[in-house]
Amino acid sequence: MTTLTVASRSVADTARLATVVATELRPRDVVLLTGDLGAGKTTFTKALCAALGVTDNVTSPTFTLVHEYRGSKLTVCHADLYRLERTGELIDLGLDDARRSGAILVVEWGDLAGDEFTDALVLAFTHVGDTERNVDVSSRGTAWEPRFTRLTAALRAGVDA
Ligand SMILES: Nc1ncnc2c1ncn2[C@@H]1O[C@H](COP(=O)(O)OP(=O)(O)OP(=O)(O)O)[C@@H](O)[C@H]1O
Ligand SMILES: [Mg+2]
């Protein structure tokens, strides 16, 4: 599986990455976000929501674990699994129902979901410096393959621009 590393030098770069990712999203997609505390997962999600036409203020679902936002383009179900105690608890979060109704899932600490999602876009954030992050973009499952090729081409073009 290919991985494209996108270098982000600022919050604005991370927001631009989210805007490009948003162009490839369809109902029921799953976007898994991994990386340490403060790596940029929520920052990315805010920009992704904005690109999907969400006008609400997007905040970290640290305690409730799930927030849902209705955007003009798609509904976003934003989950944060940091406080998930057992993988079994995932079922209680209602992510499947949200997805069935057409929402996309954006899951922070997505690695804690194990193999629950067979098709997903995966973004792994790592700290490089104060305002620098590397984002490794990869995908899981056949559903993403053609779109992943398009997405990486668009991201490469963006990097060169
Ligand atoms: N290039 C960058 N991309 C994203 N965030 C950045 C960048 N540079 C600095 N930041 C800052 O890093 C912080 C990232 O916080 P954010 O809440 O997005 O992290 P998180 O990965 O969601 O953490 P948590 O695991 O606690 O939910 C913000 O304060 C943001 O302003
Ligand atoms: Mg967060």
Side-chain angles (χ1 to χ4, degrees):
M1 183 47 75
T2 348
T3 300
L4 177 72
T5 302
V6 177
S8 167
R9 292 201 167 77
S10 63
V11 168
D13 275 358
T14 297
R16 264 191 291 276
L17 168 64
T19 305
V20 178
V21 168
T23 63
E24 288 295 346
L25 294 179
R26 295 182 195 149
R28 288 177 278 280
D29 272 344
V30 178
V31 181
L32 302 177
L33 307 177
T34 73
D36 289 346
L37 293 168
K41 302 178 294 296
T42 302
T43 302
F44 173 89
T45 307
K46 284 174 191 264
L48 188 77
C49 285
L52 295 172
V54 172
T55 53
D56 293 350
N57 184 30
V58 173
T59 55
S60 179
T62 311
F63 296 101
T64 51
L65 303 188
V66 186
H67 286 162
E68 200 164 297
Y69 304 98
R70 193 173 296 250
S72 56
K73 299 199 173 102
L74 285 171
T75 296
V76 180
C77 181
H78 177 201
D80 186 332
L81 304 185
Y82 187 64
R83 280 164 205 278
L84 195 77
E85 277 163 17
R86 306 168 281 110
T87 315
E89 262 186 285
L90 252 186
I91 296 162
D92 305 331
L93 298 183
L95 303 183
D96 283 347
D97 285 345
R99 210 173 159 202
R100 262 193 293 275
S101 68
I104 65 155
L105 303 186
V106 180
V107 186
E108 295 193 36
W109 296 92
D111 40 335
L112 297 180
D115 298 330
E116 175 72 17
F117 304 108
T118 45
D119 286 284
L121 184 69
V122 183
L123 288 94
F125 291 76
T126 48
H127 279 89
V128 179
D130 257 8
T131 64
E132 284 157 60
R133 307 285 188 270
N134 277 344
V135 189
D136 290 329
V137 186
S138 62
S139 70
R140 256 191 219 172
T142 48
W144 265 99
E145 270 169 26
R147 283 189 288 158
F148 185 72
T149 306
R150 262 204 320 264
L151 176 62
T152 50
L155 290 172
R156 284 202 181 92
V159 167
D160 295 339

